[in-house]
Amino acid sequence: MSSPAQGTSGKKGNWAARLIFGGVALVFLIIAYYALAAVLPVWWANVIRGQVQGNLGAGILVGMFYGFVFTFVPLLVAWQATRKRVGWPWKVVILVVAVAIAAPNLLTAGIMFGNSEAAHNGQRILGTEATWFPLWTQIAAIAAVVIFVVGLILWKVWRQRGKKVKALTKADAGRSEALKATDGNKAEPPAPPPASESGQAGSRADGR
C-alpha cells in the first residue's frame, strides 16, 4: 500500500507537470500568434488582389460576397449553440467552427483596423489593387447582421404564434367535447323503473 506521503508527492508531481505543460502551450500560442499576425494580413491582401485584379466592379462583388456569406453563415452556426439540447462541450465546438468560418472577415478586419506593420502593408495592397473591397465587405457584413436579427425576431414571433394557435385549438377541442357530452346526456331518455317497482305499482293499483 502507498503511504500518504507518496500520494501527496504524486499529486504535487501531477500539478507540476500540468503547470509546465500549460506554460509551454501558452508560449507556443504567443509565438504562433505573432508569427501569424506578421504573415496572414499580407497573405490575405494578396489573395484578394489576385481575385479582384484591380477591377472596381470585381472589388464590390467580391467584398459583398465575403462580407455577407462569412457573416451570416457564422451567425447561423453560432446560434445553434443556444439550443437546450446541445451540451456544453458541443457548444464550444460549434462556437469554434463559427469563428473558423468567419475567418475571411476577421482577416479583413485585422488588416483594416490593425496597427502592425503587416496590417499597414495589407492596407496598402488593398488600397491600390482592391479599392472597394474593404468598404463593401463592411456594408455586406452589416446587412448580414441586420437580416439575421430580423429573421430571428420573425422566427420567434412565428413560433410563439404557433404555440398560441395550438393552445387555442386544444382549448376549443376540449370545449367541443364537453358540449357534446352535455348534449348527449340531455338527449338520453329517462331509464325505465326497475321491474320490482313496476310490479308493486300495479299491485297497489289493483288493491285500490
Side-chain angles (χ1 to χ4, degrees), residues 157-168:
V157 170
W158 180 263
R159 189 176 180 182
Q160 291 177 357
R161 182 178 178 276
K163 290 181 179 179
K164 291 180 180 178
V165 170
K166 286 182 179 180
L168 292 173

Side-chain angles (χ1 to χ4, degrees), residues 15-93:
W15 276 109
R18 290 177 182 177
L19 289 175
I20 293 171
F21 178 79
V24 172
L26 181 61
V27 171
F28 176 78
L29 289 175
I30 293 173
I31 294 173
Y33 170 77
Y34 281 104
L36 293 174
V39 173
L40 287 179
V42 177
W43 171 79
W44 181 244
N46 286 322
V47 169
I48 298 302
R49 177 174 62 180
Q51 294 179 358
V52 174
Q53 296 181 355
N55 190 328
L56 295 179
I60 294 173
L61 293 177
V62 173
M64 291 175 64
F65 171 77
Y66 279 107
F68 187 87
V69 173
F70 294 99
T71 300
F72 187 82
V73 175
L75 288 175
L76 191 62
V77 173
W79 181 73
Q80 304 303 317
T82 61
R83 296 181 178 273
K84 295 180 180 180
R85 290 178 290 182
V86 180
W88 273 109
W90 287 107
K91 289 180 185 291
V92 176
V93 172

